[in-house]
Amino acid sequence: MSRATPANATSEAVVDRLYRPLHDLRVSVTDRCNFRCVYCMPKSVFNKDYEFLKRNELLSWDNIVSVVEAVAPLGVRKIRLTGGEPLIRNDLEELIERIARVDGIQDISMTTNAALLTQRRAASLRDAGLKRINVSLDAMDDKTFHAMNDMGVNVSSVLHGIENAVAAGIDNVKVNMVVKKGLNDHSILPMAQHFHGTGQILRFIEFMDVGNSNAWDLTDVVTSAQIAERINESMPIEPAEANYKGEVAKRWRYLDGGGEIGIISSVSEPFCGDCSRARLSATGSIYTCLFASEGHDLRPQLEAKNPEQLKAHIQRIWEIRQDRYSETRTQVVTLRPKVEMSFIGG
Ligand code: SAM
Ligand code: SF4
Ligand code: SF4
């Protein structure tokens, strides 16, 4: 089997065993969060007895930049900062500035719950080089949102965060809503109505079986087809072309010109065939799949301070990759332990 070389490939660009390039790196900067979303960090597990990482266990900015410098020649163009909640780290700007200077990196974005996104913070992140932001918001009414974030955070805090990002000139703001049946699926339409015509693209995410603590069950999933149908009944939509190969969200356009939505169907229509993402945990392990049990610890190579050795190590990890969990989820025994999403980043 042969595949075309990606247009922006470097001479060292790497592909895995299924001919998938390495284009994106998601970097988790903390495993802590100010929310306790029931589908991600349920309080039954992430409570006062839970042992979060200590500050000295977190990868330093120097080390994160070394990893970015190692993966850029291998083909990585996009870096996304995530967590846990990345805005908990008050020195993110320095990291963003340093990543922006790495040769080959074209795009730096962040996924956040936006509750801590003040006007001043949004401006300093933009000045540092943050180009895009994905904000998670699961409902338009406080009662439902409280049931999702489980920390009593109001919808208005997140909406203010979004306004602050836009006011700071970060115009590429997307909003992510995880849909869990019986919990917030009644919010699909109110969310679509709120963001219709705003230029902020709302993306619905099927509830996934990440980690071991969110008590996932297939019957809790509202499929992408059901989400599209529900919106189409009140606000007619039509499918739109993908912006680029490997785009995870399927695009739908409102027929009345009110913009578009996206639907990420990792359960009902998996997209492993185009998966070009690696994840770097807050402790310095690379994960080649969101549903992996184990990562590859990069700390020995980082401690050796040998950039060529680090690059070669990551190259080998990617070359032997053959993950396609979502395409096989119904065939494999899913009881094996999986890493928590708050640890490796969504
Ligand atoms: N705290 C930030 C936030 O919520 O945006 C960043 C980290 S969070 C782990 C990244 C993304 O993963 C969020 O959009 C969140 O909604 C999504 N996520 C977490 N658990 C999920 C699950 N079980 N199924 C689908 N998406 C999930
Ligand atoms: Fe925190 Fe994000 Fe997980 Fe919610 S989804 S608990 S905001 S890390
Ligand atoms: Fe990529 Fe793994 Fe998700 Fe498939 S299941 S799309 S390989 S992260």
Side-chain angles (χ1 to χ4, degrees):
M1 191 172 24
S2 74
R3 290 270 174 100
T5 313
N8 59 358
T10 64
S11 56
E12 295 176 276
V14 62
V15 291
D16 69 9
R17 283 202 185 153
L18 302 175
Y19 300 96
R20 297 169 296 187
L22 172 58
H23 272 167
D24 302 48
L25 181 70
R26 300 202 169 180
V27 178
S28 174
V29 293
T30 176
D31 62 337
R32 291 172 196 256
C33 187
N34 48 342
F35 284 22
R36 285 292 175 274
C37 300
V38 290
Y39 52 78
C40 179
M41 296 179 76
K43 273 184 180 165
S44 53
V45 177
F46 296 88
N47 52 34
K48 64 177 177 25
D49 298 324
Y50 186 84
E51 282 197 30
F52 287 100
L53 297 169
K54 297 182 184 60
R55 188 65 194 248
N56 63 2
E57 292 174 300
L58 297 177
L59 213 54
S60 65
W61 287 172
D62 281 352
N63 279 338
I64 292 178
V65 172
S66 297
V67 175
V68 173
E69 284 169 346
V71 294
L74 299 177
V76 168
R77 296 289 165 266
K78 296 182 178 180
I79 304 291
R80 173 171 295 277
L81 302 179
T82 177
E85 174 47 45
L87 290 178
I88 281 186
R89 299 289 306 266
N90 54 19
D91 49 352
L92 266 188
E93 287 78 354
E94 185 199 332
L95 178 65
I96 293 170
E97 271 171 22
R98 292 178 63 182
I99 292 175
R101 287 200 293 269
V102 175
D103 236 12
I105 299 303
Q106 294 166 354
D107 182 57
I108 308 174
S109 60
M110 179 172 67
T111 304
T112 171
N113 62 36
L116 299 172
L117 195 57
T118 60
Q119 215 165 340
R120 181 186 290 209
R121 192 85 208 263
S124 67
L125 290 164
R126 176 215 54 210
D127 290 347
L130 190 71
K131 297 226 166 45
R132 301 187 297 120
I133 195 162
N134 285 3
V135 174
S136 304
L137 176 64
D138 298 325
M140 283 314 301
D141 68 281
D142 282 337
K143 186 165 174 260
T144 312
F145 193 43
H146 291 171
M148 298 300 278
N149 69 58
D150 213 9
M151 289 296 273
V153 182
N154 289 340
V155 172
S156 58
S157 313
V158 179
L159 294 180
H160 283 138
I162 294 174
E163 278 166 26
N164 292 338
V166 174
I170 306 174
D171 337 294
N172 197 334
V173 179
K174 294 200 177 89
V175 179
N176 290 341
M177 169 182 178
V178 175
V179 183
K180 188 172 175 199
K181 194 181 279 176
L183 200 58
N184 70 335
D185 49 334
H186 59 277
S187 301
I188 292 174
L189 212 51
M191 286 282 288
Q193 282 160 344
H194 180 88
F195 289 101
H196 175 270
T198 61
Q200 289 138 23
I201 299 175
L202 173 62
R203 300 171 343 149
F204 299 93
I205 306 178
E206 289 178 350
F207 173 44
M208 291 188 288
D209 49 335
V210 284
N212 314 295
S213 41
N214 69 6
W216 184 84
D217 191 293
L218 189 55
T219 58
D220 291 331
V221 177
V222 183
T223 66
S224 52
Q226 291 165 336
I227 294 169
E229 204 178 292
R230 227 179 271 186
I231 293 173
N232 189 47
E233 280 166 7
S234 314
M235 307 163 77
I237 46 175
E238 63 179 5
E241 286 291 300
N243 285 314
Y244 54 89
K245 186 175 154 47
E247 189 172 29
V248 293
K250 204 171 251 180
R251 297 173 63 209
W252 295 82
R253 187 185 299 119
Y254 288 114
L255 295 188
D256 67 0
E260 64 182 74
I261 56 164
I263 309 184
I264 302 176
S265 49
S266 37
V267 178
S268 67
E269 287 174 63
F271 36 80
C272 301
D274 284 328
C275 181
S276 53
R277 276 171 299 281
R279 293 176 162 84
L280 179 66
S281 77
T283 54
S285 287
I286 284 266
Y287 287 79
T288 55
C289 180
L290 187 51
F291 300 91
S293 301
E294 279 177 32
H296 305 261
D297 189 2
L298 299 183
R299 277 173 307 186
Q301 283 72 27
L302 285 164
E303 276 157 27
K305 298 204 181 303
N306 181 334
E308 280 306 313
Q309 196 187 326
L310 176 66
K311 186 171 74 181
H313 185 60
I314 299 173
Q315 180 170 356
R316 272 195 304 278
I317 292 169
W318 195 261
E319 279 170 349
I320 58 165
R321 170 190 195 236
Q322 48 187 346
D323 306 286
R324 45 190 284 272
Y325 175 86
S326 285
E327 288 181 349
T328 58
R329 111 172 350 102
T330 52
Q331 301 149 34
V332 294
V333 180
T334 51
L335 292 176
R336 67 174 170 77
K338 290 172 279 171
V339 64
E340 293 297 333
M341 199 161 182
S342 51
F343 178 72
I344 57 165

